[in-house]
Amino acid sequence: MLFVEKKLGHDCTWIDLDVDKIKNMEDLSKVYGLDKETIEYALDRNERAHMDYHRETGTVTFIYNVLDLEKDKEYYEAIPMTFIVEKQRLITISNHKNSYVIKRMATYLESHEVVSIYKFLFASLEIISNAYYPVIEEMDKGKDEISALLRQKTLKKIFLPSLTWKLVWFT
């Protein structure tokens, strides 16, 4: 599917554009009125999370870091996802690595018939943030295990030599 288009209510629309399936990036500019700078942000895998406000158009662009659930290495990566907020529409620019967010956003809309653009935006950002919790819990558990090992090794180094000294001194 090239894009998802859903009604939010109050004559507002959400459009998701999957950049993996768009052949000509010029179409984004022509069909959706997106400026070339925003398109470049959306396509840059190394773009940092930030927000831009375009005073002339009243458009807000969010680049938000999304957890890449495909753990190819021994660590997780975050990839940028673009949210463009206009007066009557929210445009997301996604790819195959963050498509799980789009599915969760669509599920959210199924259970919330009428939402404003900003309510949907913040619900979407919460969906993204919630994806980090299991990873953070896993990292915290690993940290606790390492701390326990360090305490165990430190206690052995502190108490064993002093215990040996006391045994020698009393005999």
Side-chain angles (χ1 to χ4, degrees):
M1 178 175 3
L2 185 59
F3 67 92
V4 171
E5 186 169 340
K6 301 235 183 225
K7 295 291 181 193
L8 300 177
H10 310 291
D11 295 324
C12 296
T13 306
W14 166 45
I15 299 170
D16 176 61
L17 304 171
D18 185 340
V19 294
D20 293 332
K21 297 178 181 163
I22 296 172
K23 303 290 183 222
N24 185 357
M25 292 304 153
E26 294 291 321
D27 291 345
L28 292 178
S29 182
K30 290 176 189 170
V31 175
Y32 298 102
L34 301 176
D35 63 89
K36 293 184 193 294
E37 184 180 7
T38 301
I39 295 169
E40 288 172 11
Y41 285 151
L43 300 178
D44 185 357
R45 268 191 56 76
N46 299 313
E47 187 65 37
R48 292 179 170 246
H50 69 277
M51 182 196 86
D52 289 323
Y53 175 67
H54 302 282
R55 188 178 306 255
E56 308 84 46
T57 61
T59 302
V60 181
T61 302
F62 289 92
I63 307 290
Y64 205 75
N65 287 330
V66 175
L67 183 65
D68 182 355
L69 295 180
E70 296 174 14
K71 188 176 172 184
D72 295 335
K73 303 164 185 95
E74 290 300 313
Y75 56 89
Y76 289 95
E77 291 184 336
I79 50 175
M81 183 169 169
T82 304
F83 294 82
I84 302 165
V85 181
E86 299 173 336
K87 290 178 181 150
Q88 296 300 112
R89 68 182 180 178
L90 170 67
I91 297 175
T92 52
I93 301 177
S94 62
N95 59 49
H96 71 283
K97 292 203 176 254
N98 54 27
S99 63
Y100 74 95
V101 174
I102 301 305
K103 290 175 186 166
R104 291 177 186 178
M105 290 170 66
T107 300
Y108 176 87
L109 280 182
E110 289 171 9
S111 61
H112 299 82
E113 290 181 22
V114 177
V115 295
S116 70
I117 288 176
Y118 279 99
K119 181 174 182 176
F120 185 52
L121 171 69
F122 291 123
S124 301
L125 297 179
E126 182 179 21
I127 288 167
I128 294 168
S129 298
N130 287 342
Y132 284 93
Y133 293 139
V135 174
I136 291 170
E137 288 172 1
E138 180 183 322
M139 290 169 52
D140 196 42
K141 182 179 176 187
K143 175 194 65 83
D144 290 344
E145 289 171 1
I146 291 170
S147 292
L149 286 172
L150 286 172
R151 272 194 304 278
Q152 190 178 32
K153 286 184 178 190
T154 304
L155 288 174
K156 283 181 182 177
K157 285 183 179 181
I158 292 172
F159 290 115
L160 286 180
S162 63
L163 181 62
T164 305
W165 179 81
K166 288 178 184 176
L167 289 174
V168 170
W169 190 73
F170 286 115
T171 53

